[in-house]
Amino acid sequence: MKLLDGKLVSQALKDKLKVQTAVRAAQGKKTPHLAAILIGNNGASETYVGSKVKSCEEVGFKSTLIRLEETISEDDLLFKLNELNEDDDVDGILVQLPLPKHIGEQKIIETILPSKDVDGFHSESVGRMVQGLPAFYSATPYGILLLLEHYQIETKGKHAVVIGRSNIVGRPISIMLSKNEYPGNCTVTVCHSHTPNLKEICLQADIIIAALGRLEFLRADMVKEGAVIVDVGITRVADSSKKSGFAIKGDVAFDEVSTKCSYITPVPGGVGPMTIAALMMNTFKACAAKDN
Ligand code: NAP
């Protein structure tokens, strides 16, 4: 078994971006600028946005963190987003999800200009991705592709089973893996909570993308010998030995599945850091698109 080391690969990608950003600066070109909106005090969201802002610093991007109260109205948030849309210095905009219940998520996503939609959630970005047109790929599935690519995992003709069909992970990665390009050309099965024979389907998989958000759901008896396992799940589990008071676990029972598979992502240190690297790549692209 080999680790698909997201920490290592994301660092390599960020190192490359740092050089490319420095080259832009030397050429007198604009510095990429990411604006992140964080609403309320959700601990996990704070951590994710914090990592994104820190990564911007690492690669030499400018970042603006906008903290808004949990009680902000939808109209005020839309107003803020429109300001960022109109700000020529801002290349990429992200609104950290989930949003407070009184704010319509889709409305917010659709308000971000597609040219600044570095999270790749806008229907125009998704539609373009589905049609094979240049687009911002949403960061988590894009990060998974970059990881498979780095380790030169063969995907052509493979059966990929995706567990989960969310708009941000399961659905887009299933489409990306079915595309006529590398990494892709897979035969893809998408499973969800109404899939009755999940174990039998997983046992046929050459590649499993576990993105359901259920602690250690995928067990060794659901995995074919030699399969490639990508664990997207993030669940916080109380752990008094950690400073934070919790440990991060995935959707895969790592200890048992890792004895059977050929490659596997750890949690933490797998898909998580790749998501951030992919976001940085999208932000760089959004900025570079303005060059001409
Ligand atoms: P989500 O919106 O809750 O979607 C979960 C999907 O899994 C749904 O399609 C659901 O089916 C399916 N599902 C739930 N229980 C199932 C079961 N027992 N059997 C089969 N399918 C089941 O979650 P998400 O936003 O995609 O996130 C999934 C996980 O990935 C979470 O742990 C999240 O924290 C993590 N995540 C990690 C990253 C990262 O950067 N590493 C990024 C995003 C998300 P239905 O559609 O039928 O309800």
Side-chain angles (χ1 to χ4, degrees), residues 14-64:
K14 287 193 288 185
D15 289 346
K16 200 169 150 192
L17 274 179
K18 187 176 179 177
V19 172
Q20 289 172 325
T21 305
V23 168
R24 284 184 66 81
Q27 292 170 340
K29 292 180 179 165
K30 186 182 178 307
T31 299
H33 180 183
L34 177 70
I37 296 187
L38 175 61
I39 301 169
N41 303 305
N42 177 305
S45 294
E46 293 257 0
T47 308
Y48 299 146
V49 172
S51 305
K52 290 166 188 177
V53 168
K54 188 167 157 261
S55 289
C56 282
E57 279 166 26
E58 270 180 64
V59 299
F61 291 1
K62 188 172 165 186
S63 68
T64 303

Coordinates of all heavy atoms in Angstrom, one line a residue, residues 14-64:
K14 N 2.0 24.2 -4.3 CA 2.1 25.6 -3.8 C 3.5 26.2 -4.0 O 3.6 27.4 -4.3 CB 1.7 25.6 -2.3 CG 0.2 25.4 -2.0 CD -0.2 25.7 -0.6 CE 0.2 24.7 0.4 NZ -0.3 24.9 1.7
D15 N 4.5 25.4 -3.9 CA 5.9 25.8 -4.2 C 6.0 26.3 -5.6 O 6.6 27.4 -5.9 CB 6.9 24.7 -3.9 CG 7.0 24.4 -2.4 OD1 6.6 25.2 -1.6 OD2 7.6 23.4 -2.1
K16 N 5.3 25.6 -6.5 CA 5.3 26.0 -7.9 C 4.6 27.3 -8.1 O 5.0 28.2 -8.9 CB 4.7 24.8 -8.7 CG 5.0 24.8 -10.2 CD 4.5 23.5 -10.8 CE 4.2 23.7 -12.2 NZ 3.5 22.6 -12.8
L17 N 3.4 27.4 -7.5 CA 2.6 28.6 -7.6 C 3.4 29.8 -7.0 O 3.3 30.9 -7.6 CB 1.3 28.5 -6.8 CG 0.2 27.8 -7.5 CD1 -1.0 27.8 -6.5 CD2 -0.2 28.6 -8.7
K18 N 4.2 29.6 -6.0 CA 5.0 30.7 -5.4 C 6.0 31.2 -6.4 O 6.1 32.4 -6.6 CB 5.7 30.1 -4.1 CG 6.4 31.2 -3.3 CD 7.0 30.6 -2.1 CE 7.7 31.7 -1.3 NZ 8.2 31.2 -0.1
V19 N 6.6 30.3 -7.1 CA 7.6 30.7 -8.1 C 6.8 31.5 -9.3 O 7.2 32.5 -9.7 CB 8.3 29.5 -8.7 CG1 9.2 29.9 -9.9 CG2 9.1 28.8 -7.6
Q20 N 5.7 30.9 -9.7 CA 4.9 31.5 -10.8 C 4.4 32.9 -10.4 O 4.4 33.9 -11.2 CB 3.7 30.7 -11.2 CG 4.2 29.4 -11.9 CD 3.0 28.4 -12.1 OE1 2.1 28.4 -11.3 NE2 3.0 27.7 -13.2
T21 N 4.1 33.1 -9.1 CA 3.6 34.4 -8.6 C 4.8 35.4 -8.6 O 4.6 36.6 -8.9 CB 3.0 34.2 -7.2 OG1 2.0 33.2 -7.3 CG2 2.3 35.5 -6.7
A22 N 5.9 34.9 -8.2 CA 7.1 35.8 -8.1 C 7.5 36.2 -9.6 O 7.9 37.3 -9.8 CB 8.3 35.0 -7.5
V23 N 7.3 35.3 -10.5 CA 7.7 35.6 -11.9 C 6.7 36.7 -12.4 O 7.1 37.6 -13.0 CB 7.6 34.3 -12.8 CG1 7.6 34.7 -14.3 CG2 8.7 33.4 -12.5
R24 N 5.4 36.5 -12.0 CA 4.4 37.6 -12.4 C 4.9 38.9 -11.9 O 4.8 39.9 -12.6 CB 3.0 37.2 -11.9 CG 2.3 36.1 -12.6 CD 0.9 36.0 -12.0 NE 0.1 37.2 -12.3 CZ -0.5 37.4 -13.4 NH1 -0.5 36.5 -14.4 NH2 -1.3 38.5 -13.6
A25 N 5.2 38.9 -10.6 CA 5.6 40.2 -10.0 C 6.8 40.8 -10.7 O 6.9 42.0 -11.0 CB 5.9 39.9 -8.5
A26 N 7.8 39.9 -11.0 CA 9.0 40.4 -11.7 C 8.6 41.0 -13.1 O 9.3 41.9 -13.6 CB 10.0 39.3 -11.9
Q27 N 7.6 40.5 -13.7 CA 7.1 41.0 -15.0 C 6.2 42.2 -14.8 O 5.7 42.7 -15.8 CB 6.4 39.9 -15.7 CG 7.3 38.7 -16.2 CD 6.5 37.5 -16.7 OE1 5.3 37.4 -16.4 NE2 7.2 36.6 -17.4
G28 N 6.0 42.6 -13.6 CA 5.1 43.8 -13.4 C 3.6 43.4 -13.5 O 2.8 44.3 -13.7
K29 N 3.3 42.1 -13.4 CA 1.9 41.7 -13.5 C 1.2 41.7 -12.1 O 1.9 41.7 -11.1 CB 1.8 40.4 -14.2 CG 2.2 40.4 -15.6 CD 2.1 39.0 -16.3 CE 2.5 39.0 -17.7 NZ 2.7 37.7 -18.2
K30 N -0.1 41.6 -12.2 CA -0.9 41.7 -11.0 C -0.6 40.5 -10.0 O -0.5 39.4 -10.5 CB -2.3 41.8 -11.4 CG -3.3 42.0 -10.3 CD -4.7 41.9 -10.8 CE -5.7 42.1 -9.6 NZ -5.4 41.1 -8.5
T31 N -0.7 40.8 -8.7 CA -0.6 39.7 -7.7 C -2.0 39.1 -7.6 O -3.0 39.9 -7.4 CB -0.2 40.3 -6.4 OG1 1.1 40.8 -6.6 CG2 -0.1 39.2 -5.3
P32 N -2.2 37.8 -7.6 CA -3.5 37.2 -7.4 C -4.1 37.6 -6.0 O -3.3 37.7 -5.0 CB -3.2 35.7 -7.5 CG -2.0 35.6 -8.3 CD -1.1 36.8 -8.0
H33 N -5.3 37.8 -6.0 CA -6.0 38.3 -4.8 C -7.3 37.5 -4.5 O -8.2 37.5 -5.3 CB -6.3 39.8 -4.9 CG -7.0 40.4 -3.8 ND1 -7.4 41.7 -3.8 CD2 -7.4 39.9 -2.5 CE1 -8.0 42.0 -2.6 NE2 -8.0 40.9 -1.8
L34 N -7.3 36.8 -3.4 CA -8.5 36.0 -3.0 C -9.2 36.7 -1.9 O -8.6 37.1 -0.9 CB -8.0 34.6 -2.5 CG -9.1 33.7 -2.0 CD1 -10.1 33.2 -3.1 CD2 -8.6 32.5 -1.3
A35 N -10.5 36.9 -2.0 CA -11.4 37.4 -1.0 C -12.2 36.3 -0.4 O -12.9 35.6 -1.1 CB -12.2 38.6 -1.5
A36 N -12.1 36.1 0.9 CA -12.9 35.1 1.6 C -13.9 35.6 2.6 O -13.5 36.5 3.4 CB -11.9 34.1 2.3
I37 N -15.1 35.2 2.5 CA -16.1 35.6 3.4 C -16.4 34.5 4.4 O -16.7 33.4 4.0 CB -17.4 36.0 2.7 CG1 -17.1 37.3 1.8 CG2 -18.6 36.4 3.6 CD1 -18.4 37.8 1.1
L38 N -16.3 34.9 5.7 CA -16.6 33.9 6.7 C -17.7 34.5 7.6 O -17.6 35.6 8.1 CB -15.3 33.7 7.6 CG -15.5 32.9 8.9 CD1 -15.8 31.5 8.5 CD2 -14.1 32.9 9.6
I39 N -18.8 33.7 7.7 CA -20.0 34.2 8.4 C -20.1 33.4 9.7 O -20.1 32.2 9.7 CB -21.2 34.1 7.6 CG1 -21.1 34.9 6.3 CG2 -22.5 34.5 8.3 CD1 -22.1 34.6 5.2
G40 N -20.3 34.1 10.8 CA -20.5 33.4 12.1 C -19.2 32.9 12.7 O -18.1 33.3 12.3
N41 N -19.4 32.0 13.7 CA -18.2 31.5 14.4 C -18.1 29.9 14.4 O -17.7 29.3 15.4 CB -18.3 31.9 15.9 CG -18.4 33.4 16.0 OD1 -17.6 34.1 15.5 ND2 -19.5 33.9 16.7
N42 N -18.5 29.3 13.3 CA -18.3 27.9 13.2 C -16.9 27.5 13.2 O -16.0 27.9 12.4 CB -19.0 27.5 11.9 CG -18.9 26.0 11.6 OD1 -17.8 25.4 11.6 ND2 -20.0 25.3 11.4
G43 N -16.5 26.6 14.2 CA -15.1 26.3 14.4 C -14.4 25.7 13.2 O -13.3 26.0 12.8
A44 N -15.1 24.7 12.5 CA -14.6 24.1 11.4 C -14.4 25.1 10.2 O -13.3 25.1 9.6 CB -15.5 22.9 10.9
S45 N -15.4 26.0 10.0 CA -15.3 27.0 9.0 C -14.1 27.9 9.3 O -13.4 28.3 8.3 CB -16.6 27.8 8.9 OG -17.6 26.9 8.4
E46 N -13.9 28.3 10.5 CA -12.8 29.2 10.9 C -11.5 28.5 10.5 O -10.6 29.1 10.0 CB -12.8 29.3 12.4 CG -13.9 30.1 13.0 CD -13.5 31.6 13.4 OE1 -12.4 31.9 13.2 OE2 -14.4 32.3 13.8
T47 N -11.4 27.2 10.8 CA -10.1 26.5 10.5 C -9.9 26.4 9.0 O -8.8 26.7 8.5 CB -10.2 25.0 11.0 OG1 -10.6 25.1 12.4 CG2 -8.9 24.3 10.9
Y48 N -11.0 26.1 8.2 CA -10.8 26.0 6.8 C -10.4 27.3 6.2 O -9.4 27.4 5.4 CB -12.1 25.5 6.1 CG -12.5 24.2 6.5 CD1 -13.9 23.9 6.6 CD2 -11.6 23.2 6.8 CE1 -14.3 22.6 7.0 CE2 -12.1 21.9 7.3 CZ -13.4 21.6 7.4 OH -13.8 20.4 7.8
V49 N -11.1 28.4 6.6 CA -10.8 29.7 6.0 C -9.4 30.2 6.4 O -8.6 30.7 5.6 CB -11.8 30.8 6.4 CG1 -11.4 32.2 6.0 CG2 -13.2 30.5 5.8
G50 N -9.0 29.9 7.7 CA -7.7 30.2 8.2 C -6.6 29.5 7.3 O -5.6 30.2 7.0
S51 N -6.8 28.3 7.0 CA -5.8 27.5 6.1 C -5.7 28.2 4.8 O -4.7 28.2 4.2 CB -6.2 26.1 6.0 OG -6.4 25.5 7.2
K52 N -6.9 28.6 4.2 CA -6.9 29.2 2.9 C -6.1 30.5 2.9 O -5.3 30.8 2.0 CB -8.3 29.4 2.4 CG -9.0 28.0 2.1 CD -10.5 28.1 2.0 CE -11.1 26.7 1.9 NZ -12.6 26.7 1.8
V53 N -6.4 31.3 3.9 CA -5.7 32.6 4.0 C -4.2 32.4 4.2 O -3.3 33.1 3.6 CB -6.3 33.5 5.2 CG1 -5.4 34.7 5.5 CG2 -7.7 33.9 4.8
K54 N -3.8 31.4 5.1 CA -2.4 31.1 5.3 C -1.7 30.6 4.0 O -0.6 31.0 3.7 CB -2.3 30.0 6.4 CG -0.9 29.8 6.9 CD -0.9 28.9 8.1 CE 0.4 28.2 8.3 NZ 0.4 26.8 7.8
S55 N -2.5 29.8 3.2 CA -1.9 29.4 2.0 C -1.7 30.5 1.0 O -0.7 30.5 0.2 CB -2.8 28.3 1.3 OG -2.7 27.1 2.1
C56 N -2.6 31.5 1.0 CA -2.4 32.7 0.2 C -1.1 33.4 0.5 O -0.3 33.7 -0.4 CB -3.5 33.7 0.3 SG -5.0 33.2 -0.5
E57 N -0.8 33.5 1.8 CA 0.4 34.1 2.3 C 1.6 33.3 1.8 O 2.6 33.9 1.2 CB 0.5 34.2 3.8 CG -0.3 35.3 4.4 CD -0.5 35.2 5.9 OE1 0.3 34.5 6.6 OE2 -1.5 35.7 6.4
E58 N 1.5 32.0 1.9 CA 2.6 31.1 1.5 C 3.0 31.3 0.1 O 4.2 31.3 -0.3 CB 2.2 29.7 1.7 CG 2.5 29.0 3.1 CD 2.0 27.6 3.0 OE1 2.6 26.8 2.3 OE2 1.1 27.3 3.8
V59 N 2.0 31.4 -0.8 CA 2.3 31.5 -2.2 C 2.5 32.9 -2.7 O 2.8 33.1 -3.9 CB 1.3 30.7 -3.1 CG1 1.2 29.3 -2.7 CG2 -0.1 31.3 -2.9
G60 N 2.3 33.9 -1.9 CA 2.6 35.2 -2.3 C 1.3 35.9 -2.8 O 1.4 37.0 -3.5
F61 N 0.1 35.4 -2.6 CA -1.1 36.0 -3.0 C -1.5 37.0 -2.0 O -1.1 36.9 -0.8 CB -2.3 35.0 -3.1 CG -2.2 34.0 -4.2 CD1 -1.1 33.9 -5.1 CD2 -3.2 33.1 -4.4 CE1 -1.1 32.9 -6.1 CE2 -3.2 32.1 -5.3 CZ -2.1 32.0 -6.2
K62 N -2.3 38.0 -2.4 CA -3.0 38.9 -1.5 C -4.3 38.2 -1.1 O -4.9 37.5 -1.9 CB -3.3 40.2 -2.3 CG -3.8 41.3 -1.4 CD -3.9 42.5 -2.3 CE -4.7 43.6 -1.7 NZ -5.0 44.7 -2.5
S63 N -4.6 38.4 0.2 CA -5.9 37.8 0.6 C -6.7 38.8 1.5 O -6.0 39.6 2.1 CB -5.8 36.5 1.4 OG -5.2 36.8 2.6
T64 N -8.0 38.8 1.4 CA -8.8 39.6 2.2 C -9.8 38.7 2.9 O -10.6 38.0 2.2 CB -9.6 40.7 1.4 OG1 -8.6 41.5 0.7 CG2 -10.4 41.6 2.3

